[in-house]
Amino acid sequence: MILLLMGIAGSGKGTQGKMLADQKGYHLVSMGDVVRMYVTGEQRKKMLAGGLLDDQEIIKIVDKVLVSLPDGEDVLLDGFPRTIPQAEWLLGQVKSGRLKLDSAFHLVASEEAVKARLMNRARIDDTEDSITKRFEEYRKSTEPLLKWLSDNGVNVHNIDGERSPETVNEDIVQILANS
């Protein structure tokens, strides 16, 4: 079974992924970590210059990771899919019987809350400018993707990500227990 963790950077996906992996024994696949591990020299140059990998490059990487996991293991995908073509590939895998997709958890957080969290993280790429650009990209890509997933039969659960990590986790665990 696959669960999707979605939301803007700073919404708490990484924290929730780690908590759920520890509690439930899920394999946590964080796309940020995976991409850094699998990118080639040319792809790395492109990313360092501010470019994004295209959908087919990301899908190939995700496919490699999913093939490497033991059959029947529960997986949390943090940061995939990010586009409708990526989601189409994922649902194609579900329809073919290769994968089972249970739900998507969308951690909702305001720009103000995210900005405060990211600025406290003190990472070099967490500037006010980059945070604003992430929100623009999020509105352009992720919001339509969430609707598309829902329209295509995926249970999308909106969770208030501005509360304490423990409270958010309790909500997710409760939803999982009832599904």
Side-chain angles (χ1 to χ4, degrees):
M1 173 187 65
I2 292 180
L3 298 171
L4 306 178
L5 289 173
M6 304 179 78
I8 185 74
S11 64
K13 296 183 309 292
T15 299
Q16 292 306 315
K18 288 175 187 138
M19 290 173 81
L20 288 166
D22 290 346
Q23 292 166 330
K24 304 284 189 184
Y26 297 139
H27 282 278
L28 175 58
V29 178
S30 168
M31 285 308 296
D33 295 341
V34 166
V35 166
R36 283 186 285 277
M37 183 171 60
Y38 278 95
V39 291
T40 63
E42 283 303 309
Q43 291 168 325
R44 187 175 309 282
K45 282 183 197 170
K46 180 179 173 181
M47 289 172 61
L48 289 172
L52 296 174
L53 300 181
D54 68 36
D55 289 327
Q56 290 310 308
E57 291 171 309
I58 293 291
I59 288 167
K60 279 182 191 170
I61 292 169
V62 169
D63 196 41
K64 281 182 190 176
V65 171
L66 293 176
V67 164
S68 74
L69 298 175
D71 287 342
E73 294 287 321
D74 292 333
V75 178
L76 289 167
L77 279 177
D78 168 1
F80 182 88
R82 284 217 168 128
T83 65
I84 290 174
Q86 291 172 13
E88 288 172 335
W89 175 83
L90 184 62
L91 289 189
Q93 301 304 301
V94 171
K95 286 179 183 149
S96 75
R98 176 179 175 210
L99 303 174
K100 181 180 183 298
L101 177 61
D102 187 71
S103 298
F105 292 95
H106 174 223
L107 302 181
V108 181
S110 69
E111 192 162 350
E112 295 75 29
V114 164
K115 193 176 288 187
R117 286 179 184 173
L118 294 179
M119 298 306 278
N120 285 337
R121 241 174 29 174
R123 278 191 357 200
I124 196 162
D125 60 335
D126 288 335
T127 64
E128 287 206 32
D129 250 8
S130 70
I131 294 165
T132 300
K133 285 179 184 159
R134 286 182 201 157
F135 256 92
E136 289 167 6
E137 182 63 30
Y138 174 79
R139 282 190 286 272
K140 189 174 88 181
S141 300
T142 305
E143 287 179 356
L145 174 59
L146 290 163
K147 181 182 180 333
W148 187 92
L149 287 168
S150 183
D151 290 348
N152 282 276
V154 177
N155 294 320
V156 176
H157 304 279
N158 289 312
I159 308 277
D160 179 355
E162 293 187 24
R163 298 166 303 148
S164 74
E166 295 76 19
T167 304
V168 172
N169 180 261
E170 287 170 14
D171 281 1
I172 294 172
V173 169
Q174 184 66 40
I175 291 167
L176 289 170
N178 292 329
S179 58

